Amino acid sequence: MSNDDLVEAIREVDCFQGIHEEDLGQIAKMGRVIEFAANEIVFREGDTALSSYVVVSGTLSLEVCAPGIGCRRLSTIRDGEFLGWSPVLDNFHMTVTARTVTICHLIELPKDQLLALCERSPHFGYVFMRGVAQTLARRLSAARMQLLNLFGDEAETNAADG
Amino acid sequence: MSATPQSMRGTNPWTPRPFRIEGIIAELTSVWTFCLSPEEGDSPSFQPGQFNMLYVPGFGEAAISISSSTYDIPQLQHTFRAVGNVTGALSRLREGDQIGVRGPFGNSWPVMQLPGKNVIFVAGGIGLAPLRPVIEYTLQNRTEYEKLKLIYGAKSPDVLLYRREFSRWTDAGLEIEVTVDRGTPHWQGHIGVVTEIMRPFPGDPEQTQVLVCGPEVMMRFVAREAISLGVPPAQVFLSLERNMKCAMGMCGVCQFGPEFICKDGPVFPFNRIQQYLRLEDL
């Protein structure tokens, strides 16, 4: 993947919308493209939070494993999305397990370098953190919808009175 | 489309007309599609989005959306889930049995506003049933529309309604994205809720109409997401389901603010009803 391709892939991600070209170049420079086969673990719940990722292509599932219920897949992340908020929000550990569903190409962004860029470029830091917050807000909203168990009882969707 | 209740021409809208169950399709656990033909005369014409009152003697009536294509008039289809007294009685009927049908009632999806636009259908669970006639309608007239996309959410991969139709719909020019709340080990598709796969939004939001049917909470979230993506609220249409008794706007059971869902709906533009969707006791 050329540096230009890397820049374009990063530019597509919501979290990086509106950042300066110079900062975009810095992120591309720190990025490393990794290919994962299907059904590979990218990181596990509880791993030390060292890197965030940009999904260039492919689909991953986020899952939580627990004794008695096994591994439950909670959501999926697709190309153009940001993966791994824990490292940049100074969480020490990853909160879920990320497993590839299909072949995936990810750009690995080391936490230390991302946060150092935030320090050096407050504009980048603001735009990026705001983007991370918006991504998290959407995922929270989606999680709330899932909690409502909308399809547990479909009485509301049809034949409500019957 | 007309908001006036329409009954079968020449019949009393209060009197159920006898229909024979010509076929029963077991769709999912507790979900069936009845294929109905009138005992006498022709099936009534209808608009996509309208519903009929299905009557089971001794049990009563239930409002069920018409789920067949408007191009397939001779046989009327209704997909329902057995959730109560009437639908439970319907589920025990067999091919050849007779039921009563009143209708069609209610308004329709805004089919006259769709040509030249992108149309996004967002369905949740069995909410795909009321959308099927308008999906079929747009696919029959595919050249009149820009992008056509179905975003469909369900509880799990094994409860996707009309899955047998998906490849035909895709071949006819409908993009389909499916998401489930709970993935199985073999599920390769999306896991999550429908709002998550509304991004990236296909096409210019101002030139897009969004047609939504599913659990009411889901429709609220979808409308909010569509508006945040730039779709004007008047171009987001929801099909509401409430207790409907008379289907004529007379009994008041389905009153929703100043609207009667059976007569003024069931399809409403979001801007007309959004203030009432927030009220818990409506």
Side-chain angles (χ1 to χ4, degrees), chain A residues 161, chain B residues 2-8 12-16 50-55 61-65 101-107 241-255 260-266:
Chain A
D161 58 341
Chain B
S2 169
T4 309
Q6 296 172 341
S7 64
M8 294 172 211
N12 181 342
W14 295 102
T15 308
Q50 288 191 298
F51 66 93
N52 280 319
M53 299 300 292
L54 304 190
Y55 170 61
E61 285 185 316
I64 309 286
S65 300
V101 176
R102 284 197 300 131
F105 294 113
N107 66 356
E241 301 285 347
R242 282 289 198 283
N243 286 335
M244 291 191 247
K245 291 294 177 198
C246 72
M248 308 273 285
M250 306 290 277
C251 69
V253 170
C254 67
Q255 188 167 2
F260 291 95
I261 289 176
C262 67
K263 179 173 74 75
D264 305 316

Side-chain angles (χ1 to χ4, degrees), chain B residues 72-98:
Chain B
D72 193 17
I73 292 295
Q75 213 173 60
L76 216 48
Q77 291 189 7
H78 290 81
T79 301
F80 66 94
R81 185 185 185 93
V83 291
N85 195 31
V86 182
T87 48
L90 280 170
S91 72
R92 293 189 289 275
L93 296 176
R94 295 290 170 259
E95 287 181 15
D97 286 347
Q98 198 180 71

Side-chain angles (χ1 to χ4, degrees), chain A residues 10 15-16 18-20 23-24 27 30 113-131:
Chain A
I10 293 165
C15 294
F16 298 114
I19 67 173
H20 295 149
D23 293 331
L24 205 54
I27 295 165
M30 73 178 77
Q113 292 182 51
L114 259 181
L115 292 179
L117 183 59
C118 290
E119 294 289 334
R120 283 200 309 277
S121 170
H123 175 263
F124 167 73
Y126 170 72
V127 172
F128 172 60
M129 286 301 175
R130 196 163 182 265

Side-chain angles (χ1 to χ4, degrees), chain B residues 108-129:
Chain B
S108 75
W109 295 107
V111 287
M112 305 307 284
Q113 294 179 39
L114 306 183
K117 303 278 172 52
N118 304 307
V119 186
I120 313 293
F121 308 99
V122 187
I126 198 174
L128 185 56

Side-chain angles (χ1 to χ4, degrees), chain B residues 29-43:
Chain B
T29 304
S30 302
V31 178
W32 293 270
T33 295
F34 276 6
C35 308
L36 303 173
S37 294
E39 292 285 11
E40 284 182 10
D42 297 327
S43 281

